[in-house]
């Protein structure tokens, strides 16, 4: 390889790295002066868009529902919701049915957030702040479910089970779980995003469309499933 070719290759590689880093940086969209110049990042704006779409879609889909004369749309939605309820009930058990709406909402949000890259947006789940917030919400719910089911004393005693000597390990697990949920989701989404950007830079035609079927769609749905699956298991363990 000639020195000129080597320089061109290094320059091309540096260009790809700079473009990738620019894509990974969380940009500030606007600031709110009232709150001391609070910066609103791009991931926050995308999350607002997802929530707005979810609320508007829910209002639209549930319009005109009737108990006496249900239409096809209502019947279809009831069947789908029933199947989701059945799936989550098999995970959390009879005692955990009241937590199913949360699990369904979080699963929908993460799935939509992972797939939103198909519409030209950056997935908010590649922002560590987003995955930390989701993990903390889930772990707080898990511990609250344990306190509600066992009482404060029963919940505290559970850290000494099956033997008191492993109490520090059980307490450490409460801290490790949110890190596990957060980093697993963040790492997989970020990894898929990086791979797709590299593929687009190296082979900009055809191949990105094919690979997107896996990294943007299949992997995105799988990560949403893994997050709610683990949360369901944690809830079941806490309440039983």
């Amino acid at each position: 390889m000639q020195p000129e070719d080597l320089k061109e290759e290094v320059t091309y590689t540096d260009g790809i790295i700079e473009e990738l880093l620019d894509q990974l940086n969380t940009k500030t969209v606007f600031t709110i002066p009232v709150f001391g110049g609070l910066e609103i990042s791009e991931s926050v704006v995308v999350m607002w868009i997802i929530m707005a779409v979810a609320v508007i879609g829910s209002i639209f889909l549930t319009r005109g529902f009737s108990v006496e004369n249900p239409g096809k749309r209502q019947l279809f939605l009831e069947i789908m919701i029933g199947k989701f309820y059945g799936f989550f009930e098999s995970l959390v058990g009879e005692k955990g049915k009241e937590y199913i709406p949360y699990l369904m909402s979080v699963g929908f949000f993460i799935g939509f957030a992972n797939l939103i890259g198909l519409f030209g947006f950056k997935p908010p789940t590649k922002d560590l702040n987003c995955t930390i917030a989701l993990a903390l919400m889930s772990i707080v719910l898990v511990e609250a479910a344990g306190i509600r089911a066992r009482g404060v004393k029963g919940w505290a005693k559970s850290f000494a089970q099956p033997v008191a000597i492993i109490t520090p390990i059980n307490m450490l697990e409460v801290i490790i779980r949110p890190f596990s949920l957060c980093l697993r989701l963040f790492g997989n989404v970020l990894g898929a995003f990086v791979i797709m950007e590299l593929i687009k830079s190296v082979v900009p035609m055809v191949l990105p469309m094919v690979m997107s079927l896996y990294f943007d769609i299949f992997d995105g749905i799988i990560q949403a499933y893994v997050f709610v699956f683990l949360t369901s298991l944690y809830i079941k363990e806490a309440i039983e």
Side-chain angles (χ1 to χ4, degrees):
M1 180 178 292
Q2 297 298 323
E4 293 78 7
D5 297 333
L6 183 59
K7 286 183 179 180
E8 291 181 1
E9 184 176 348
V10 171
T11 303
Y12 177 70
T13 304
D14 290 341
I16 293 178
I17 294 174
E18 290 179 3
E19 183 179 353
L20 182 59
L21 291 175
D22 181 65
Q23 290 289 330
L24 291 176
N25 288 332
T26 302
K27 300 177 181 178
T28 300
V29 179
F30 60 90
T31 59
I32 303 178
V34 179
F35 297 100
L38 179 64
E39 296 183 351
I40 304 301
S41 64
E42 184 179 7
S43 59
V44 174
V45 174
V46 175
M47 284 191 285
W48 287 347
I49 293 173
I50 294 172
M51 290 186 287
V53 170
V55 171
I56 295 171
S58 299
I59 295 173
F60 174 77
L61 291 173
T62 56
R63 288 181 59 188
F65 276 14
S66 172
V67 178
E68 293 79 11
N69 299 305
K72 293 181 179 179
R73 173 165 50 89
Q74 180 178 345
L75 292 174
F76 174 76
L77 289 175
E78 288 179 355
I79 291 172
M80 295 302 298
I81 296 297
K83 288 185 178 297
F84 279 117
Y85 257 87
F87 168 75
F88 283 110
E89 187 176 354
S90 67
L91 295 177
V92 297
E94 182 69 23
K95 296 180 180 179
K97 288 178 64 175
E98 57 190 327
Y99 303 105
I100 292 178
Y102 169 80
L103 295 170
M104 292 176 62
S105 300
V106 170
F108 171 81
F109 175 83
I110 296 175
F112 197 175
N114 291 343
L115 296 176
I116 204 168
L118 298 173
F119 303 97
F121 296 96
K122 291 182 182 178
T125 42
K126 78 172 184 62
D127 185 346
L128 191 57
N129 295 309
C130 175
T131 58
I132 288 175
L134 290 169
L136 288 177
M137 282 195 309
S138 295
I139 294 304
V140 168
L141 178 67
V142 169
E143 299 307 319
I147 295 173
R148 186 177 181 185
R150 305 179 182 185
V152 177
K153 289 185 178 180
W155 173 76
K157 289 180 180 179
S158 67
F159 289 102
Q161 295 175 353
V163 289
I165 196 173
I166 67 169
T167 299
I169 298 177
N170 288 335
M171 295 179 67
L172 185 62
E173 188 177 13
V174 177
I175 302 174
I176 293 175
R177 280 178 173 177
F179 277 103
S180 174
L181 287 174
C182 151
L183 295 178
R184 180 183 285 105
L185 178 61
F186 171 74
N188 282 281
V189 173
L190 180 63
F193 181 81
V194 170
I195 291 173
M196 281 303 303
E197 290 299 321
L198 290 174
I199 292 174
K200 290 176 184 177
S201 300
V202 177
V203 187
M205 301 295 291
V206 182
L207 185 59
M209 297 176 60
V210 177
M211 298 303 294
S212 178
L213 295 175
Y214 176 80
F215 288 110
D216 287 336
I217 300 177
F218 179 75
D219 186 60
I221 295 174
I222 287 295
Q223 296 312 316
Y225 168 79
V226 169
F227 189 94
V228 295
F229 177 78
L230 291 175
T231 304
S232 301
L233 294 184
Y234 295 156
I235 291 175
K236 185 176 182 180
E237 179 183 345
I239 61 180
E240 293 185 353

